[in-house]
Amino acid sequence: MNRVLILVNITGLIIGISYGLHGPILPVFAKNVIGATYSELGLIGLTNFIPYMFIPLFVGILLDRINNGYLLALGAAVNSTSIYLLSIAQSVPEIMGFRIMTGIAHAFFWPPCESIISNESTEKNRVRNISWFTMFFVIGFMVGPLLGTAVLESLDVTYRILFQIAAFILATGIITSLLASRKSVRNHHEGFSFSSIKEMKKFPEAIILLIFCTSSFGIILTIYPAFLNDRGMTDSDILSLYFVFGISRVVSLALAGKLARNTSRTLIAGTSAASIGLAMSIFADSTVTFGIALVLMGFGFSIFFPLTLEIVLSKTRKAISGKIIGAYETIFGMGWAIGPTIGGPIAQSFGNETPYALFCIIGIGVVIFAIISRKKLEPQRVLN
């Protein structure tokens, strides 16, 4: 692994730690301290993810024109600021405003990392390198809750101090981003155009799986912690469960290179696991059963990312890879926005377990669709 890939992985680890430190506890903070309802938690999630429906398109165009390391450093700086501002939030609209900043910043973090990795990889090791980067991010997201538990219990600090600590940790990612920028990663210089985004229309099967998984994932990130709290889980229980969720994701990503040999079967298995995990959440009443549900969802929500991205990149001209990554991440953002938008109001109106029942049913339909379309859920190199 070369120096640039190492620096990008370190950046992913740092940002993952920060996200894990504050992310799972934010819905609990909003519900118990600010007084947010489930509908408002859904809106908070929507404002976090809705910028990711649009900003990656512009970032994708910039990826082929500007040193990706600079874009990555910008994302880390804005992200750190947005998390720090959570520590002074006094109302739901303020949290929503700061989460909009986070969503914008994330668009300057993930697509540049993917672009750097793609440019530094061969077709043979691209899935592995993207999986390793995601794994480093998830390791951070897994370690973050443990640090959060230690800080809350040992130092007896408030949620607001926790947000400040997370912001300072994330700020160190600016340094590794700038170090990675010393080597130019710009390989292409096509004109400023949105036309290449139409390329995504070639991958309807991957898009359907992507939207289901990201929608469900969005609910798990924005509403599920409050649901766990209502089911009797303490702050420490919630953070520990997300640690288990992280372990499942890390193991899945570590095996992604081998599982990519049977891409379509793996995607079908991952979607099935996510659906079963959602179903289990409806009836779970202990840390053990919730832990099993999160392990299953951790596998499903992690394995689909490197494999669907490889399907798209393997059938795309490298000259427009940056723009395609931007379009791919925009669809990612659509799913993230759809989940909380649907899940929050449904939980508020029909019971807090209803979103998981609904998405479980949708998941069953997606599994059937994936089985029917399995030949199209293979990367080009496998088809050839």
Side-chain angles (χ1 to χ4, degrees):
M1 187 177 295
N2 66 35
R3 172 179 170 275
V4 173
L5 290 177
I6 291 172
L7 287 169
V8 171
N9 287 340
I10 292 173
T11 304
L13 177 67
I14 291 169
I15 295 178
I17 291 172
S18 176
Y19 277 27
L21 190 62
H22 84 278
I25 214 68
L26 177 59
V28 180
F29 165 76
K31 183 173 79 75
N32 293 345
V33 178
I34 304 297
T37 63
Y38 271 100
S39 293
E40 288 173 329
L41 290 178
L43 286 174
I44 291 171
L46 174 63
T47 55
N48 184 17
F49 298 138
I50 201 167
Y52 212 72
M53 295 173 60
F54 308 103
I55 304 301
L57 291 175
F58 297 95
V59 176
I61 293 170
L62 294 175
L63 291 177
D64 294 325
R65 302 171 62 87
I66 298 175
N67 189 298
N68 298 171
Y70 296 152
L71 296 175
L72 180 54
L74 175 62
V78 175
N79 219 337
S80 177
T81 302
S82 68
I83 294 172
Y84 183 86
L85 289 172
L86 288 174
S87 68
I88 62 172
Q90 299 293 334
S91 66
V92 169
E94 287 181 349
I95 295 177
M96 291 170 63
F98 300 147
R99 296 311 274 175
I100 289 175
M101 288 180 61
T102 302
I104 294 172
H106 196 74
F108 281 88
F109 157 58
W110 205 269
C113 288
E114 290 173 343
S115 181
I116 292 171
I117 294 167
S118 179
N119 289 331
E120 294 289 330
S121 303
T122 64
E123 183 178 301
K124 183 178 180 180
N125 62 21
R126 185 167 54 200
V127 169
R128 185 199 66 188
N129 288 341
I130 289 177
S131 298
W132 273 77
F133 161 70
T134 310
M135 185 176 69
F136 271 91
F137 173 80
V138 173
I139 288 173
F141 197 87
M142 178 179 69
V143 171
L146 290 184
L147 293 177
T149 300
V151 169
L152 287 174
E153 292 185 349
S154 302
L155 302 181
D156 194 28
V157 302
T158 65
Y159 294 137
R160 297 182 187 277
I161 299 298
L162 196 66
F163 296 152
Q164 293 176 6
I165 295 171
F168 288 127
I169 290 174
L170 199 151
T172 61
I174 299 172
I175 299 172
T176 53
S177 300
L178 291 174
L179 289 173
S181 72
R182 291 182 180 179
K183 178 179 178 181
S184 176
V185 292
R186 290 185 294 135
N187 294 329
H188 316 296
H189 307 276
E190 288 200 351
F192 195 86
S193 171
F194 289 102
S195 60
S196 61
I197 294 170
K198 296 178 181 178
E199 295 280 326
M200 286 300 296
K201 293 181 180 179
K202 297 179 180 178
F203 314 106
E205 297 81 14
I207 288 173
I208 289 173
L209 264 68
L210 191 61
I211 289 179
F212 165 70
C213 287
T214 50
S215 298
S216 305
F217 198 5
I219 290 177
I220 300 305
L221 293 176
T222 59
I223 298 173
Y224 203 71
F227 171 68
L228 291 173
N229 186 244
D230 284 345
R231 287 294 179 94
M233 301 295 108
T234 65
D235 293 347
S236 296
D237 290 336
I238 293 169
L239 290 170
S240 298
L241 284 168
Y242 274 85
F243 174 72
V244 172
F245 183 57
I247 291 176
S248 174
R249 297 187 66 197
V250 168
V251 172
S252 302
L253 290 164
L255 297 174
K258 293 182 179 179
L259 293 174
R261 298 169 187 169
N262 296 289
T263 298
S264 60
R265 292 180 183 178
T266 302
L267 288 173
I268 291 168
T271 308
S272 301
S275 300
I276 294 171
L278 289 166
M280 286 189 63
S281 298
I282 302 170
F283 308 103
D285 57 1
S286 68
T287 54
V288 173
T289 48
F290 276 121
I292 295 171
L294 282 167
V295 165
L296 291 170
M297 289 189 286
F299 168 68
F301 295 154
S302 300
I303 202 65
F304 81 92
F305 165 67
L307 300 191
T308 53
L309 181 59
E310 177 61 16
I311 292 171
V312 172
L313 290 178
S314 70
K315 302 176 184 180
T316 300
R317 291 182 294 116
K318 190 159 186 175
I320 59 170
S321 61
K323 299 180 182 68
I324 289 297
I325 287 172
Y328 175 91
E329 291 299 327
T330 292
I331 294 170
F332 218 105
M334 289 174 59
W336 270 348
I338 289 169
T341 302
I342 295 175
I346 287 178
Q348 186 71 29
S349 302
F350 301 103
N352 57 15
E353 74 284 347
T354 311
Y356 314 107
L358 174 63
F359 277 87
C360 172
I361 294 170
I362 295 173
I364 293 171
V366 173
V367 170
I368 295 171
F369 172 78
I371 293 171
I372 296 171
S373 308
R374 61 185 180 277
K375 290 184 179 180
K376 296 182 179 179
L377 291 172
E378 294 286 350
Q380 188 68 52
R381 59 184 176 78
V382 175
L383 293 176
N384 287 340

